[in-house]
Amino acid sequence: MSVLAYCVALPGSLAQPDNVNSFEVEGLVCYYAEIPRMNANATETALRFHRVNTALFAAAAILPFQFPTTAASLEELQQKVASQAAHLRAALQRLQNSVQFELTFSVTSPASTSSQTGTEYLRQSQARERQLAEVLAQVRSSAGSYVLQWKERERGRDRRLFALVERRFQQVFSQVLQSVALPNGVECRVVGAWPATEFVDQ
Amino acid sequence: MSAQPTFVAIGSKNNAELSLVEILDHILNSGIVLQGSLVISLAGVDLIYLGLSAVITSIETALAGSAKARLERGHH
């Protein structure tokens, strides 16, 4: 039997989901479940983790743990959460009215042919980078008035933008994004709203 | 206000539920990491990535199958 950590939240605002336990430590509530062990049902456990955190997040700000964060015992989890409680509590207080959207930009132009030279390959890569940079700037400009903070990451050949948005503006932010016209050959997937974990200093 | 995660494609009005792949990708790659001796279970992650591969493979297989069926219908 081990303990699977779901998330932490500020006390007082959340109902306890079925079959989920919690403890309070240093001004935080930590939600967890006891599980036999991570086995062939790992995907099912992961989906339950997602459902529980989504239900909690619908009501208030939470900070989910990276899945699957497990401890050998409840005492061990309590000690670890307590050791970082001040940091987590400050992050929750700062982010309590915010949500996070994730925008993934990809260039979908036809892949280069194998007969090209190295120079041509590098030129194509430069052009792709330039095109993505222009699109990101356009999106930042169009939706920027609803965004408290942006973060950017590369992921392979894709670019990822994380937008920190006030919870009350999440729908209008989605609508603004949908009105942005992208150039041919560039796609963007937007997923959100999520808990704003990307904006917590680790 | 509810904060149910949804999928949105820029430039389109299509919203849809998140796919299993997107959910798993998200929870495996984001979230708070507790420092110290807590274990992020490697076995569990491996199993999920195996599961993800199976999902992706099954989708690819289904797409390939439907493309083949379309081709066959086109010949008749």
Side-chain angles (χ1 to χ4, degrees):
Chain A
M1 188 71 76
S2 61
V3 176
L4 175 67
Y6 282 152
C7 65
V8 288
L10 294 173
S13 52
L14 296 173
Q16 183 98 359
D18 292 340
N19 301 319
V20 175
N21 303 309
S22 67
F23 62 83
E24 196 165 332
V25 60
E26 306 277 341
L28 285 177
V29 182
C30 178
Y31 294 87
Y32 69 95
E34 291 185 346
I35 56 172
R37 64 188 176 88
M38 201 59 71
N39 53 21
N41 291 326
T43 303
E44 192 179 308
T45 307
L47 288 176
R48 175 164 168 71
F49 174 90
H50 170 69
R51 281 194 297 270
V52 167
N53 280 338
T54 299
L56 291 168
F57 177 57
I62 62 167
L63 294 177
F65 293 104
Q66 187 171 12
F67 182 86
T69 297
T70 58
S73 67
L74 179 57
E75 291 71 29
E76 186 187 11
L77 179 62
Q78 287 171 327
Q79 285 171 11
K80 292 298 174 189
V81 174
S83 71
Q84 292 187 48
H87 171 61
L88 295 174
R89 199 172 53 244
L92 276 165
Q93 284 164 347
R94 182 170 58 87
L95 299 168
Q96 63 182 327
N97 296 316
S98 304
V99 299
Q100 164 184 317
F101 283 83
E102 299 173 12
L103 296 76
T104 305
F105 296 85
S106 313
V107 173
T108 58
S109 306
S112 51
T113 60
S114 56
S115 60
Q116 70 181 347
T117 64
T119 306
E120 285 169 341
Y121 174 82
L122 290 174
R123 281 188 181 140
Q124 284 188 1
S125 296
Q126 274 185 331
R128 189 174 61 241
E129 288 297 311
R130 212 165 30 241
Q131 190 177 29
L132 278 178
E134 286 169 6
V135 170
L136 262 65
Q138 182 196 353
V139 169
R140 280 178 182 245
S141 167
S142 301
S145 55
Y146 296 103
V147 177
L148 299 168
Q149 191 179 345
W150 293 101
K151 276 200 176 178
E152 190 174 330
R153 268 205 223 159
E154 283 188 28
R155 189 184 189 191
R157 299 173 75 175
D158 297 342
R159 291 279 194 89
R160 274 189 145 183
L161 261 187
F162 296 88
L164 185 68
V165 177
E166 276 191 59
R167 192 178 272 250
R168 64 190 168 122
F169 289 140
Q170 62 185 14
Q171 285 183 342
V172 67
F173 176 72
S174 293
Q175 287 161 2
V176 168
L177 286 180
Q178 286 178 60
S179 69
V180 175
L182 296 181
N184 285 337
V186 176
E187 278 185 1
C188 178
R189 288 169 42 249
V190 183
V191 182
W194 296 111
T197 50
E198 193 66 28
F199 296 89
V200 178
D201 296 328
Q202 297 259 2
Chain B
M1 181 183 288
S2 169
Q4 188 76 21
T6 57
F7 166 87
V8 180
I10 285 187
S12 117
K13 292 186 175 174
N14 293 331
N15 288 6
E17 293 198 1
L18 289 176
S19 71
L20 174 64
V21 173
E22 283 169 319
I23 290 169
L24 295 181
D25 179 60
H26 179 81
I27 66 174
L28 289 168
N29 290 296
S30 66
I32 301 301
V33 177
L34 284 178
Q35 304 297 318
S37 60
L38 282 189
V39 175
I40 292 185
S41 166
L42 292 178
V45 171
D46 286 347
L47 283 168
I48 288 170
Y49 277 119
L50 276 175
L52 271 178
S53 302
V55 169
I56 292 166
T57 305
S58 65
I59 291 169
E60 287 172 346
T61 305
L63 289 174
S66 65
K68 187 180 172 192
R70 275 199 302 275
L71 274 175
E72 286 172 356
R73 277 199 301 274
H75 287 303
H76 292 131

